[in-house]
Amino acid sequence: MVPKISKIPFLFLILSLNAASAEVIWGPTLERSGGEYIFETGNKYPNLSGIRGGSRISFPRTFSLFGIQGIYTKDKIEISGALKTTGWYQKSGEARDEDFFLGSVSTENTTNIATREWSYRDSATIYSGSRNFADGKGKSTVFENRAELYGRYYFQTGNPNYWIDGSGFFLSVGARYSYFKYIFYDVNQYIESTPVFYGPIGMGLTFSNDLWEFFGGGGYRYSSGNFYADFSFMPSFGRIKTRDFHVQRSINFFSENYGLGWASKAEVGYKMGPSWLSYIRINHRRFFSEGRFTSQGGLTRDDLTSNLVSGFKSHINIKDYSIEIGALNKLDWSPGSNRSENSEKVVPNTEE
């Protein structure tokens, strides 16, 4: 399967608008990510088959991204965009696929961000107090493409121009699209059977994700001399669609989830001259979602029967962070001076 590319390639078109009366800066970016991605489903109370249990698939968010970014500023307004990619499938660490039983003492914490109760639970897992009857561990690789677009409006003496001193709060909105796919392979699996099975099974599964996130929030920027600092916090709403293909069972699981989250950023930078600067940025992202998934295909009777069910509950939660470094260059839109045209021509003296 050929990985998808960004669905919004027009991000940088804004950078060409009214360029002569605005500032445009651009440059490369390199980002190192870490964290965890967890898909869970289950039921604490018996289903039609009398089973109380569920499953959990865990992937690490350890990989590197590189790309290009651009920023358009005018007066108090800033519009920024970025395109980032892993470029290829990168090793992301050990992944895990668990199937478990739930009992009367098990807990199901489905609410991570409760808007009515104003509560927040910063955990990527939903079910606890379970006992695994199947457990697979193996290696994982990940491929990711990402596109981002943000807008800001500054207050007080805050200014989107990095080379102007000032400080103030800003309001911010934005959107981010990412497509990423995990491959789970070299799997060693334990199954509680008679007799107990434990051994290699080869390829485990592939897990494709299509995620849209929309942000709204604000922050603060301080700029003085050769240094600046920038902090932001933005709650988010998102939708994620996934395709989980289990190779050994020849079955697909398709899910669609919606949820809430937040993203924060802390950035410091150094202005290396009138047109160049460098920065280091720390990003945090949380996304907690709930929805349903359906099954398609399969080899066993139970798998084929599940195709007839309208859907099963699913949770997809992401907690990640990253350290990003980059450089930005301010484009000079002033017309170049052509001294051969603007200076007086020298006429050679031909008089004898």
Side-chain angles (χ1 to χ4, degrees):
M1 177 180 179
V2 178
K4 294 181 182 178
I5 61 174
S6 166
K7 289 185 177 179
I8 44 179
F10 52 84
L11 276 177
F12 292 100
L13 291 181
I14 190 66
L15 300 182
S16 62
L17 300 178
N18 202 17
S21 60
E23 294 289 349
V24 176
I25 59 178
W26 73 283
T29 176
L30 178 64
E31 186 174 348
R32 180 64 177 176
S33 177
E36 55 185 338
Y37 172 104
I38 296 180
F39 171 92
E40 284 184 285
T41 183
N43 49 283
K44 185 179 177 182
Y45 303 97
N47 58 18
L48 295 177
S49 62
I51 297 177
R52 295 188 297 181
S55 62
R56 178 187 300 116
I57 302 174
S58 309
F59 290 106
R61 295 280 297 164
T62 306
F63 52 86
S64 298
L65 291 159
F66 62 91
I68 190 171
Q69 59 184 322
I71 303 174
Y72 169 91
T73 67
K74 185 177 182 181
D75 300 326
K76 292 285 187 176
I77 297 175
E78 171 185 306
I79 299 175
S80 62
L83 298 173
K84 302 176 182 179
T85 181
T86 58
W88 53 85
Y89 280 94
Q90 298 183 15
K91 293 181 179 179
S92 56
E94 183 181 76
R96 191 174 183 183
D97 183 5
E98 307 167 75
D99 295 300
F100 49 80
F101 292 119
L102 295 170
S104 57
V105 297
S106 304
T107 59
E108 181 180 359
N109 298 306
T110 61
T111 303
N112 290 87
I113 300 177
T115 55
R116 288 188 297 180
E117 294 81 6
W118 290 94
S119 65
Y120 173 70
R121 190 177 69 90
D122 192 31
S123 173
T125 58
I126 299 297
Y127 301 97
S128 60
S130 60
R131 181 177 68 83
N132 287 358
F133 64 85
D135 195 348
K137 295 182 180 180
K139 301 175 183 177
S140 67
T141 60
V142 62
F143 174 90
E144 179 162 340
N145 279 331
R146 186 185 302 171
E148 305 170 345
L149 181 65
Y150 298 98
R152 287 182 177 184
Y153 185 86
Y154 289 81
F155 299 92
Q156 301 159 309
T157 60
N159 198 297
N161 191 326
Y162 289 89
W163 285 268
I164 295 179
D165 290 352
S167 60
F169 292 94
F170 58 81
L171 293 178
S172 181
V173 295
R176 174 166 58 196
Y177 169 79
S178 55
Y179 170 83
F180 53 103
K181 180 178 180 180
Y182 284 99
I183 298 178
F184 183 37
Y185 65 102
D186 281 358
V187 181
N188 284 290
Q189 188 171 42
Y190 158 82
I191 301 177
E192 186 182 275
S193 57
T194 305
V196 170
F197 171 82
Y198 178 76
I201 63 169
M203 179 72 75
L205 56 90
T206 64
F207 209 110
S208 305
N209 299 261
D210 191 275
L211 173 59
W212 278 96
E213 297 169 276
F214 301 93
F215 302 91
Y220 187 84
R221 174 178 287 181
Y222 172 82
S223 179
S224 178
N226 291 330
F227 294 91
Y228 75 89
D230 194 289
F231 308 93
S232 67
F233 179 83
M234 293 189 292
S236 68
F237 169 78
R239 184 228 67 184
I240 184 169
K241 297 178 70 174
T242 71
R243 175 181 178 266
D244 173 17
F245 176 61
H246 286 246
V247 177
Q248 304 298 328
R249 297 163 61 187
S250 190
I251 187 171
N252 281 288
F253 298 101
F254 299 96
S255 69
E256 183 170 0
N257 286 29
Y258 294 85
L260 302 174
W262 56 268
S264 65
K265 180 189 71 174
E267 175 183 332
V268 293
Y270 176 74
K271 307 164 195 177
M272 298 179 290
S275 60
W276 282 95
L277 64 84
S278 61
Y279 67 85
I280 182 170
R281 179 185 299 160
I282 299 176
N283 303 294
H284 283 83
R285 191 263 298 268
R286 303 288 186 266
F287 177 68
F288 306 103
S289 71
E290 183 174 339
R292 298 182 70 79
F293 73 91
T294 58
S295 63
Q296 186 180 95
L299 301 175
T300 67
R301 178 180 177 181
D302 289 341
D303 285 344
L304 294 173
T305 302
S306 70
N307 296 178
L308 306 176
V309 180
S310 60
F312 304 89
K313 180 169 55 176
S314 65
H315 304 273
I316 298 176
N317 297 334
I318 302 173
K319 292 176 58 178
D320 61 15
Y321 61 90
S322 66
I323 299 177
E324 183 178 352
I325 58 174
L328 291 169
N329 171 243
K330 179 167 60 175
L331 299 181
D332 185 4
W333 295 99
S334 59
S337 58
N338 190 335
R339 300 198 178 274
S340 63
E341 295 180 359
N342 297 333
S343 59
E344 183 180 353
K345 295 183 178 180
V346 178
V347 179
N349 185 1
T350 58
E351 295 182 359
E352 295 181 356

